[in-house]
Amino acid sequence: MCTNQNTNCVSISSMLPNFTPKEDDMFSRRCIWVNGPVIVGAGPSGLAVAASLKRQEVPYIILERANCIASLSQNRTYDRLKLHLPKQFCQLPNLPFPDDFPEYPTKYQFIQYLESYATHFDIQPKFNETVQSAKYDKRFGLWRVKTVSRKGLLSSCEFEYICRWLVVATGENAEKVVPEFEGLEDFCGDVLHASDYKSGEMYRGKRVLVVGCGNSGMEVSLDLYNHDASPSMVVRSSVHVLPREILGKSTFEIGVTMMKWMPVWLVDKTLLLVTRLSLGNTDKYGLKRPELGPLELKNTVGKTPVLDVGAFSKIKSGKIKIVPGIVKFEPGKVELVDGRVLGIDSVVLATGYRSNVPSWLKENDLAEIGIEKNSFPKGWKGEAGLYAVGFTRRGLSGASLDAISVAHDIANAWKEETKQQIKSVAARHRRCISQF
């Protein structure tokens, strides 16, 4: 038996016991009217939207396919992870980090903060509920969100939520990216994605190939070295490496402050000059810089610069080796594009993530509300009540700004509709009295 207890929802199908649905009819599964928006995703973006709506007194429901909030942070990050930016740039709306937290909180402190955030704003997601499809029904001017809710290991229930507004808050890191490499299936050693990597403890004494040179690849390589492994990191393209701090100040904070008074290109040149003085010439060690500056590159194509937390010094000393692209794998070894063959025991794929939205958001393209069409700060709003939070490539601070804007926009529409409904009911009531 399926139940759905939510004061903001009304089951439509239960009100029509003798109705026989057609295969694709709105009532073919348990149908629930939501008096407000449906939010998909209970990560930081979804929580920020929910809290902002709560302050506007707008009802909502929030759907989460995992069994916890912030499942990426809880289940798919390595143990040594800390926030790369100071905490004031990572806090969600209307609730700062505790004062006793360090400037760069650990992943466990970040999770603790998010759980406290959900408790503070009484956010109660519907866990273990996976969205299969979301489609705008032009006949009714409503969104139809079809889900499967897991109940234990063997049972599941199907629901269809009907709503005026849909908020996509699943982020750009919902699914891991696993490239295909010739011969990888015959490699014979351990192969895992960075999302499954926890610690270098199990790799002591092993030769590990880390594929990818972003923040994850750098930190995994450093963690492997700190656990007495021998890491080699594959660098297939250019990358900006910046010090996390400059003279005790966050590099990101310095960049943001400078952008208030200077154009992006000049900020980039300044940061790269200071970086050259701090780190030296990264090209010399196999880390060639892109032609575009770090901030311009982030703004145009979304590629995040690496904020160094210690890996680069190990690269300079040769303790973390830099190798070029891969030709193919063979049992116990890998052939590189420069002709070298390395003997390796394990592979960690720090090859990034992608959004899963195209698999379930039907007949809509998030590019319509992403930076490709509407640049920040208005990349959060689409048509027909569709919104997105966390897709403008500006981190947690950008997601928080998106969330506030989305909640304000929905609240205005919701309050206006509620006002019109009250007027309509009052008018009918007056007619009834006069007729009586």
Side-chain angles (χ1 to χ4, degrees):
M1 179 178 178
C2 299
T3 60
N4 189 302
Q5 298 179 353
N6 195 307
T7 57
N8 302 322
C9 303
V10 176
S11 176
I12 297 177
S13 56
S14 62
M15 299 167 63
L16 303 169
N18 299 320
F19 183 78
T20 303
K22 297 179 181 179
E23 182 177 352
D24 191 41
D25 196 278
M26 184 181 289
F27 304 109
S28 60
R29 54 179 73 196
R30 183 163 185 186
C31 189
I32 298 169
W33 166 255
V34 180
N35 183 28
V38 168
I39 305 168
V40 183
S45 296
L47 296 178
V49 176
S52 299
L53 287 169
K54 180 82 71 171
R55 287 174 61 88
Q56 298 270 6
E57 299 183 339
V58 176
Y60 64 87
I61 65 165
I62 181 167
L63 306 175
E64 169 56 50
R65 65 176 179 173
N67 62 356
C68 60
I69 64 168
S71 61
L72 175 64
S73 297
Q74 298 220 43
N75 301 327
R76 293 184 287 161
T77 52
Y78 36 92
D79 293 343
R80 78 176 304 267
L81 179 65
K82 293 183 178 181
L83 295 182
H84 292 113
L85 304 181
K87 61 184 179 181
Q88 66 265 30
F89 295 104
C90 300
Q91 63 193 26
L92 302 187
N94 304 306
L95 188 67
F97 279 91
D99 291 337
D100 60 349
F101 274 29
E103 185 174 15
Y104 300 95
T106 67
K107 84 165 191 176
Y108 302 104
Q109 290 171 322
F110 182 57
I111 292 168
Q112 179 186 341
Y113 165 73
L114 293 179
E115 290 176 339
S116 299
Y117 190 87
T119 300
H120 180 82
F121 290 104
D122 192 28
I123 300 171
Q124 300 180 35
K126 291 177 60 61
F127 293 120
N128 299 310
E129 188 142 355
T130 302
V131 174
Q132 291 184 312
S133 68
K135 184 177 181 180
Y136 185 69
D137 193 324
K138 295 180 181 178
R139 295 174 299 170
F140 301 100
L142 298 168
W143 284 93
R144 300 171 58 179
V145 183
K146 297 181 179 181
T147 71
V148 172
S149 177
R150 299 191 307 276
K151 307 293 181 181
L153 295 176
L154 300 177
S155 67
S156 63
C157 300
E158 294 184 345
F159 296 99
E160 181 166 20
Y161 297 92
I162 311 298
C163 59
R164 272 279 291 111
W165 304 278
L166 175 64
V167 182
V168 180
T170 51
E172 298 172 296
N173 301 320
E175 303 290 345
K176 57 189 177 185
V177 173
V178 181
E180 292 185 3
F181 293 104
E182 181 183 348
L184 185 59
E185 64 278 5
D186 301 321
F187 168 62
C188 300
D190 298 320
V191 180
L192 80 166
H193 192 270
S195 61
D196 301 310
Y197 177 93
K198 299 302 178 186
S199 166
E201 182 64 37
M202 63 178 286
Y203 296 98
R204 288 186 182 276
K206 292 186 177 182
R207 301 162 299 175
V208 186
L209 186 71
V210 179
V211 183
C213 59
N215 280 296
S216 294
M218 288 280 190
E219 290 208 35
V220 167
S221 296
L222 179 60
D223 189 58
L224 286 166
Y225 170 78
N226 289 337
H227 284 89
D228 299 323
S230 299
S232 297
M233 185 169 62
V234 175
V235 179
R236 297 171 291 176
S237 59
S238 56
V239 59
H240 279 298
V241 180
L242 306 176
R244 186 172 69 172
E245 293 184 340
I246 297 173
L247 299 176
K249 281 285 187 179
S250 160
T251 302
F252 178 80
E253 184 176 1
I254 292 173
V256 169
T257 302
M258 292 171 64
M259 285 175 64
K260 295 178 181 179
W261 316 105
M262 300 162 58
V264 172
W265 68 267
L266 185 55
V267 176
D268 276 339
K269 283 189 175 295
T270 304
L271 290 178
L272 290 177
L273 175 61
V274 175
T275 297
R276 180 70 175 252
L277 296 173
S278 174
L279 300 181
N281 182 6
T282 60
D283 289 29
K284 180 180 176 181
Y285 302 97
L287 299 172
K288 185 178 179 181
R289 293 197 180 278
E291 292 184 6
L292 292 178
L295 297 181
E296 188 177 359
L297 191 67
K298 173 67 173 175
N299 291 340
T300 54
V301 301
K303 188 173 182 180
T304 303
V306 172
L307 294 176
D308 179 53
V309 294
F312 188 67
S313 66
K314 306 304 179 187
I315 292 171
K316 291 173 71 173
S317 64
K319 294 170 182 175
I320 296 176
K321 296 179 176 60
I322 300 297
V323 299
I326 297 167
V327 174
K328 64 179 179 179
F329 286 91
E330 296 178 12
K333 56 187 177 181
V334 60
E335 181 182 342
L336 305 173
V337 294
D338 62 359
R340 284 185 290 165
V341 176
L342 295 182
I344 54 174
D345 303 303
S346 303
V347 178
V348 178
L349 300 172
T351 46
Y353 302 86
R354 63 168 174 261
S355 168
N356 68 358
V357 175
S359 68
W360 56 265
L361 184 60
K362 306 301 180 182
E363 300 177 12
N364 285 276
D365 186 355
L366 269 188
E368 294 179 359
I369 48 177
I371 63 171
E372 295 178 18
K373 184 176 180 181
N374 298 321
S375 60
F376 185 84
K378 290 190 177 180
W380 44 267
K381 185 175 181 179
E383 298 178 354
L386 176 64
Y387 297 86
V389 177
F391 290 87
T392 46
R393 299 172 180 172
R394 289 179 175 258
L396 291 170
S397 59
S400 293
L401 291 174
D402 290 349
I404 294 170
S405 299
V406 167
H408 181 73
D409 203 63
I410 292 176
N412 286 341
W414 182 85
K415 290 173 182 177
E416 183 62 30
E417 287 193 5
T418 302
K419 186 188 302 181
Q420 294 301 323
Q421 290 170 2
I422 293 173
K423 287 181 179 179
S424 177
V425 171
R428 289 198 298 269
H429 183 62
R430 285 196 297 272
R431 284 198 299 271
C432 290
I433 294 174
S434 63
Q435 290 172 8
F436 180 78

